[in-house]
Amino acid sequence: MSGLILHEDPRSGNCYKIRLTAAHLKLPLERRSYDIMKGETRTPEFLSNISANGRIPVLQDGDRFLTESNAICFYIANGSDLIPDGHYDQADMLRWMFWEQYNHEPTIATLRFWMRFVGLEALTDAQRMQISPKREMGLAALDLMDKHLAERKWFVADKFSLADIALFAYTHVADEANFDLEAYPEIVRWMERIMVMPKHVELDG
Amino acid sequence: MSGLILHEDPRSGNCYKIRLTAAHLKLPLERRSYDIMKGETRTPEFLSNISANGRIPVLQDGDRFLTESNAICFYIANGSDLIPDGHYDQADMLRWMFWEQYNHEPTIATLRFWMRFVGLEALTDAQRMQISPKREMGLAALDLMDKHLAERKWFVADKFSLADIALFAYTHVADEANFDLEAYPEIVRWMERIMVMPKHVELDG
């Protein structure tokens, strides 16, 4: 695997997951930047040549274009210690990654996007009415994570894996959506364990 | 792998994915039924003993409880021809399964749930305001699937895989959310290919 190109918006936590995975693997990535606020992933060129889904991240590997952040992490981490041994533990890792995309990203990441990048005054009425239910679901997600981490250091199989990377991406910036992370001491300790790892990179890197 | 117990609501497409996968594998499943409309997955007993996430499906394998429908399918299909060979194709299969949980299930399945089980008159104002954006996103999801299938018989690697099962579950009942599937001829042909397979089972089975 070489010559990989990451099509990204550098502010996106979904794109950051891939850069963080690549950093732990010491895998070089060429980065191509798109501004989603300017619709740069919805142009006819992007839809035809990069991804018909009109979203970043997209990983280009030769003439193949892979989408979905967690699938891309799974692809580049093949054979590494970021994927646990054993099929049950691999399924359990994927379980947290599916949970992240269903329960965590649409709540915490969406609220962060609205509050930090779109601006509350620019939201539609339909979006504004989702703030409260999304906040409730985001709090429930953080609560579940905190309880899970009370009994273990990492999400799966007693070791750092893609599940931790996927969940770290938007958890560590949840304060940008006005979630008070100090209320979740186990999450704080888990984030600290990740941030001191020698190969760690920052979101705004 | 034996003695598996599926904790499910039989009306749920997410639970159906697992039964359909198990049918193709000729893998027996003991089924335990919960009525999500009556809150039977939010009781203290369920939260303590089955899943802290309060949702079905949950697969019980001895003393292990695995959640997230697509992770469960990945687990039980280990080593079978429902998972393609080759790491890129496996990642591409997961890509469609992540896409299903992010773009397809929260739109088409949620609208089906609201229209068929909750009833439009019982929705909250916040839910009612999501009907139109969810319909737009559901139409976009079906459109993307139809275009993808115009050039191939199956979603990934030219063969029937978990990606097809995950996407079939809620697509084939999209009419219950008033989506007109006749507008997507490639999807209709793909569904017909699935429904005539000898080991196929129905959602209401």
Side-chain angles (χ1 to χ4, degrees):
Chain A
M1 202 180 295
S2 68
L4 297 177
I5 300 170
L6 176 63
H7 300 269
E8 67 163 349
D9 185 321
R11 301 165 295 188
S12 153
N14 282 326
C15 298
Y16 170 55
K17 289 174 195 171
I18 297 158
R19 287 190 284 115
L20 183 51
T21 302
H24 279 278
L25 299 168
K26 295 190 174 178
L27 185 68
L29 288 178
E30 179 186 332
R31 297 168 63 179
R32 297 213 185 139
S33 188
Y34 302 79
D35 187 338
I36 55 174
M37 298 301 295
K38 294 183 182 158
E40 291 179 356
T41 64
R42 308 281 176 171
T43 64
E45 291 74 21
F46 189 93
L47 296 172
S48 297
N49 300 328
I50 310 295
S51 168
N53 202 33
R55 289 169 178 271
I56 43 85
V58 179
L59 185 80
Q60 182 177 349
D61 183 7
D63 57 359
R64 289 164 153 174
F65 294 79
L66 187 62
T67 57
E68 299 299 321
S69 57
N70 290 340
I72 295 169
C73 290
F74 183 85
Y75 177 55
I76 64 174
N78 180 30
S80 79
D81 59 5
L82 296 178
I83 298 178
D85 294 332
H87 200 70
Y88 181 84
D89 286 337
Q90 289 178 12
D92 199 31
M93 178 190 82
L94 289 172
R95 161 254 181 137
W96 283 107
M97 295 165 82
F98 281 112
W99 182 84
E100 186 266 339
Q101 284 288 288
Y102 195 84
N103 292 272
H104 190 291
E105 205 274 1
T107 57
I108 296 168
T110 298
L111 288 176
R112 169 182 179 257
F113 181 66
W114 289 351
M115 294 174 74
R116 174 156 174 199
F117 300 109
V118 179
L120 289 179
E121 68 291 342
L123 296 180
T124 65
D125 288 345
Q127 288 171 329
R128 217 180 303 270
M129 292 199 65
Q130 288 181 62
I131 291 176
S132 172
K134 280 185 185 292
R135 183 159 300 282
E136 287 300 311
M137 291 167 64
L139 291 168
L142 294 172
D143 196 54
L144 188 77
M145 288 172 65
D146 203 60
K147 288 198 170 77
H148 188 72
L149 290 168
E151 291 165 24
R152 43 184 83 69
K153 280 174 70 176
W154 307 109
F155 272 88
V156 175
D158 264 340
K159 51 185 284 203
F160 180 68
S161 76
L162 296 181
D164 300 287
I165 289 176
L167 287 164
F168 178 79
Y170 284 110
T171 301
H172 88 293
V173 290
D175 60 316
E176 297 178 9
N178 281 0
F179 288 96
D180 175 18
L181 288 172
E182 295 304 316
Y184 305 97
E186 301 293 346
I187 290 178
V188 170
R189 281 192 278 273
W190 164 77
M191 291 195 303
E192 286 168 354
R193 286 193 285 277
I194 292 174
M195 288 186 286
V196 299
M197 296 175 89
K199 289 184 273 187
H200 186 71
V201 293
E202 304 282 328
L203 172 54
D204 297 317
Chain B
M1 202 180 296
S2 68
L4 297 177
I5 300 170
L6 176 64
H7 299 270
E8 65 162 353
D9 186 321
R11 300 165 296 188
S12 153
N14 282 327
C15 299
Y16 170 56
K17 289 174 196 172
I18 297 157
R19 288 190 281 113
L20 183 51
T21 300
H24 278 280
L25 298 169
K26 295 189 173 177
L27 185 69
L29 288 179
E30 180 186 333
R31 298 168 62 181
R32 297 211 185 142
S33 189
Y34 302 80
D35 188 337
I36 55 173
M37 299 302 295
K38 294 182 181 155
E40 291 179 357
T41 64
R42 308 281 177 172
T43 64
E45 292 75 19
F46 189 94
L47 295 173
S48 296
N49 301 327
I50 311 297
S51 168
N53 201 34
R55 290 168 178 270
I56 44 82
V58 180
L59 186 79
Q60 182 178 350
D61 183 7
D63 58 359
R64 288 165 155 175
F65 294 79
L66 187 63
T67 57
E68 299 298 321
S69 58
N70 291 339
I72 296 169
C73 290
F74 183 85
Y75 176 56
I76 64 175
N78 180 28
S80 78
D81 60 6
L82 296 178
I83 297 178
D85 295 330
H87 200 70
Y88 181 84
D89 286 336
Q90 289 178 11
D92 199 32
M93 178 190 80
L94 289 172
R95 162 253 180 136
W96 282 106
M97 295 164 82
F98 281 112
W99 181 84
E100 186 266 339
Q101 284 288 289
Y102 195 86
N103 292 272
H104 190 290
E105 207 272 3
T107 57
I108 295 169
T110 298
L111 289 175
R112 169 182 178 256
F113 182 65
W114 289 352
M115 295 175 74
R116 176 156 173 198
F117 300 109
V118 179
L120 289 180
E121 68 290 342
L123 296 180
T124 65
D125 287 345
Q127 289 172 327
R128 215 181 304 269
M129 294 204 56
Q130 288 181 61
I131 292 176
S132 171
K134 280 186 184 293
R135 183 158 301 281
E136 287 300 311
M137 288 167 66
L139 290 169
L142 293 172
D143 196 54
L144 188 76
M145 289 172 64
D146 203 61
K147 287 199 170 77
H148 188 73
L149 290 167
E151 291 165 24
R152 45 184 79 72
K153 279 174 72 177
W154 308 109
F155 271 88
V156 175
D158 263 342
K159 52 185 285 202
F160 179 69
S161 77
L162 296 181
D164 300 287
I165 289 176
L167 287 164
F168 179 78
Y170 285 110
T171 301
H172 88 293
V173 290
D175 60 314
E176 296 179 10
N178 280 359
F179 287 97
D180 176 18
L181 288 172
E182 295 305 316
Y184 304 98
E186 301 293 346
I187 290 178
V188 170
R189 280 192 279 274
W190 164 76
M191 291 194 303
E192 286 168 354
R193 286 193 287 276
I194 292 174
M195 289 188 285
V196 298
M197 295 176 91
K199 290 183 272 188
H200 186 72
V201 293
E202 303 283 328
L203 171 54
D204 296 317

